Amino acid sequence: RHANRGLDDCLYPGPFDRVPSRYLLTLGDIKMPINYLKHADKTASTGEQDVRKTVQTVLDEIEVGGDDKAREYAAKFDKWTGDIVVSKEDMKAAADKVSTQLKDDIRFAHDQVRKFAEAQRDSIKDIEIELRPGLIAGHRNIPMNAAGCYVPGGRYSHVASAIMSVTTAKVAGVGQVVACSPPRPDIGVNPAILYTLDLCGADTVLALGGIQGVAAMAFGLFGCKPADILVGPGNQFVAEAKRILYGRVGIDMFAGPSEVMVIADATADPEIVAWDLVGQAEHGYNSPAWLISLDKDLAEKVIALVPGYIAELPETNRVNAEAAWRDYGEVIIVDTKEEAVQVSDEYASEHLEVHCTDLDWWLDSLSNYGSLFLGEETTVAFGDKTSGPNHILPTKGAARYTGGLSAGKFMKTVTWQRMTREANRDIAQVTARISRLEGMEAHAKTADIRLAKWFPGENFDLSGTD
C-alpha cells in the first residue's frame, strides 16, 4: 500500500533493507516504511555532547567551592549579585506586585493540581500479607526528606512549573522542599513565581538558575539539606545536570525538549490541530511537533496552516517555533488506527493528543505517552497550566518506561518482614540449600545457626546439592 503512493511521499532516503526501526511499521513479519509528508533532520539528542562537558565542569567546581562558587556562577550566568536565599520580606514584597486577577488564576490552578496530587497520594497504599504461617511481609510508602524543585524563569516565567513541582512534593509529605529559579539582573526572581512558590509551600527559595541552581539543591548549599530528589523542567543545561547527578540523587526523569504528537483522522479540525502543534513548538528551537494523520488531505491542510500561525507569534516565540517546525517537525501518513498506535508507541511522546472518533478505543489501545489528551475539547496547554494532572513529563522516548511527576515520585516504597521461630523451619532450610548451590556459604550459615538454636536435635538437609 505504501509503495503504491510513490517515492515522493516517502522521504526516508536510504535503501529499504537499512531503514532504522523508528522508520518502520511492523505488521506480522512484514515491515513497511513510514510514509512522511514532512521529515525532521534533527532529534532531541542533537548537540548533547557539547553540553555535557560544560555541565560537568560547573558541577565539579561548585561541589568543591560551595556557596561562594555558586554565587560566582550566579554573577557570571544570571548577572545576579544580590541575596541568594529569598527572604520572607522579599516574598511578601513580590506578592504585592502581583495583580489580584493573576493571584486568583494561580490559586485556581494550584487547587486543581493539589486535588489531583492528593488523589494520587491516597491511591498509594501500604500493604501487609502473611505469605505463610508465621511469615508476615509488607511495604510502606515513606516520603523523602528533601526535594529540590527547579522552576524555569529565563525566557519564559513558568508559574505553572512552580505549582506542579512544589505542590506535588508537599502533598506527598516531603520534609523540606527547596525551590530555585533564575533571577533577572537587578530585579531578582519573577514576582509571580515567588508568589506561587510561597502559596504552594516551598520552605526555601533560592535565586539561582541553570547548573548552579541544580548544584546548590543537590549539594545542600545555603543552609539547605541536600536534596534526595531533583525535579522540574529546564533547558538542556539543567537537564544534563540532573542526568549527571542521577544516582547520587533521584530525579523525576531524564528530560529533553518539550514535545507533542497529535493523532488525527478525517474528522479533525485542521486549524485546531495546527495551533496545537505550534503551541508546543514555541517552547524552544528544538521542541519536536509531530502529526500522525489517517487522512492525507487533513495532513496537507495542517502543513499549509502552520507557517502562517507561527508568523502571528511575538518575535521570540516565532523564532523558536520556526526553527522547531523546520528542523524537528514531522507529518506522517498511516492507513489504519493500528498503524497509528504502533508509530505513536514507537515515538513515546511527552504529550499525545488524539483528534479522532471512538476515543475510548484510543484510550484502551495507546500505551507509550507521558500524558494523553483525548478529543479536541482538551489540549496540551490545559495540562501545562491548569487542568490538574502534572505537566512534568518524560521526553525523548522515556515514556516507554516511566510516567510523569506524581505524588508517588516523592515517596519510597520500602519493604519489611518479620516471622515466628516456627516459620524458620521451612524458610531457613530452603535459604541454606539455595545459598550453598550458589556458593555463598556465609549466607547459608546465617540460616544454619537459627535452625540449630530453635530446633536442637533435628536433622535438616542443608547441603544444597543438585
Side-chain angles (χ1 to χ4, degrees):
R1 288 173 296 171
H2 288 267
N4 289 338
R5 290 179 179 151
L7 293 176
D8 289 341
D9 285 342
C10 182
L11 300 187
Y12 178 73
F16 180 77
D17 61 352
R18 297 184 203 164
V19 179
S21 62
R22 70 172 294 194
Y23 298 101
L24 295 173
L25 295 173
T26 304
L27 302 176
D29 293 328
I30 302 173
K31 289 188 175 181
M32 295 185 294
I34 295 175
N35 182 25
Y36 286 89
L37 287 187
K38 183 181 185 306
H39 181 249
D41 294 324
K42 297 181 180 180
T43 72
S45 299
T46 301
E48 282 184 344
Q49 291 298 327
D50 296 335
V51 172
R52 191 162 300 162
K53 294 178 182 178
T54 300
V55 173
Q56 187 68 67
T57 297
V58 175
L59 288 175
D60 290 344
E61 291 185 3
I62 293 177
E63 183 170 15
V64 173
D67 293 5
D68 290 341
K69 182 58 71 171
R71 286 192 185 93
E72 182 180 317
Y73 274 112
K76 178 179 180 180
F77 292 142
D78 295 327
K79 304 297 186 288
W80 177 252
T81 57
D83 292 336
I84 299 298
V85 179
V86 181
S87 68
K88 294 297 182 184
E89 292 75 20
D90 288 342
M91 299 283 275
K92 185 179 183 305
D96 293 338
K97 299 176 184 177
V98 181
S99 71
T100 300
Q101 180 64 68
L102 181 53
K103 287 178 180 176
D104 289 344
D105 291 342
I106 291 170
R107 284 194 291 266
F108 176 90
H110 173 251
D111 284 344
Q112 298 290 110
V113 173
R114 176 183 50 78
K115 286 188 288 187
F116 191 80
E118 287 171 346
Q120 288 180 320
R121 180 201 61 198
D122 293 344
S123 73
I124 301 170
K125 306 295 184 182
D126 294 350
I127 66 168
E128 180 177 316
I129 181 173
E130 188 169 20
L131 295 169
R132 59 184 299 110
L135 170 55
I136 302 171
H139 76 223
R140 297 177 58 213
N141 296 284
I142 303 175
M144 297 179 190
N145 291 316
C149 301
Y150 189 89
V151 180
R155 183 170 58 232
Y156 306 121
S157 296
H158 285 264
V159 167
S161 292
I163 298 172
M164 300 288 175
S165 57
V166 175
T167 302
T168 309
K170 297 301 286 188
V171 166
V174 175
Q176 183 187 78
V177 178
V178 177
C180 75
S181 190
R184 296 180 179 177
D186 302 320
I187 297 174
V189 178
N190 180 280
I193 289 179
L194 288 180
Y195 170 77
T196 305
L197 291 172
D198 192 38
L199 172 70
C200 297
D203 296 293
T204 303
V205 178
L206 304 178
L208 284 172
I211 309 167
Q212 61 273 20
V214 174
M217 295 187 295
F219 302 147
L221 304 185
F222 302 101
C224 301
K225 295 178 182 177
D228 299 315
I229 186 170
L230 296 168
V231 305
N235 62 21
Q236 56 192 340
F237 295 96
V238 170
E240 182 61 19
K242 288 165 60 182
R243 191 198 68 80
I244 290 173
L245 289 165
Y246 177 62
R248 178 169 181 167
V249 300
I251 62 172
D252 43 7
M253 62 206 71
F254 293 112
S258 185
E259 57 195 38
V260 64
M261 175 170 279
V262 177
I263 302 174
D265 63 15
T267 68
D269 184 330
E271 294 183 354
I272 290 178
V273 171
W275 266 120
D276 285 2
L277 293 170
V278 173
Q280 286 302 292
E282 77 171 347
H283 268 283
Y285 71 92
N286 55 355
S287 290
W290 303 310
L291 170 62
I292 299 174
S293 179
L294 287 99
D295 182 77
K296 187 175 180 181
D297 184 56
L298 171 84
E300 290 174 341
K301 289 178 181 177
V302 171
I303 289 175
L305 288 169
V306 165
Y309 292 167
I310 291 175
E312 295 180 26
L313 300 176
E315 181 179 3
T316 299
N317 310 59
R318 183 177 69 252
V319 170
N320 285 330
E322 284 175 347
W325 182 244
R326 180 188 66 238
D327 296 336
Y328 297 86
E330 293 186 338
V331 177
I332 304 163
I333 306 296
V334 297
D335 289 332
T336 68
K337 296 191 295 184
E338 290 76 16
E339 288 180 2
V341 168
Q342 189 165 349
V343 177
S344 176
D345 282 350
E346 177 86 12
Y347 276 63
S349 61
E350 177 189 18
H351 307 98
L352 177 58
E353 294 188 4
V354 178
H355 296 235
C356 300
T357 58
D358 197 5
L359 294 177
D360 287 339
W361 183 90
W362 294 96
L363 178 61
D364 291 339
S365 301
L366 293 160
S367 59
N368 292 347
Y369 51 82
S371 192
L372 181 61
F373 302 80
L374 293 163
E376 69 176 26
E377 292 81 7
T378 187
T379 181
V380 171
F382 293 171
D384 274 353
K385 311 304 178 186
T386 54
S387 56
N390 210 287
H391 81 187
I392 299 172
L393 301 166
T395 61
K396 298 167 63 175
R400 292 178 295 107
Y401 57 82
T402 187
L405 188 65
S406 67
K409 289 276 188 176
F410 293 101
M411 305 173 79
K412 304 172 294 183
T413 301
V414 295
T415 59
W416 59 268
Q417 60 184 274
R418 65 164 60 111
M419 68 178 69
T420 62
R421 293 181 178 183
E422 184 60 33
N424 270 253
R425 185 187 298 276
D426 294 330
I427 297 295
Q429 289 184 71
V430 175
T431 297
R433 289 193 292 265
I434 290 177
S435 297
R436 289 194 167 94
L437 180 65
E438 295 175 341
M440 305 187 76
E441 183 62 22
H443 278 62
K445 291 293 187 183
T446 65
D448 295 350
I449 194 171
R450 285 167 170 79
L451 291 171
K453 178 176 182 178
W454 295 320
F455 307 100
E458 293 192 36
N459 292 319
F460 300 102
D461 178 10
L462 307 175
S463 63
T465 57
D466 54 10

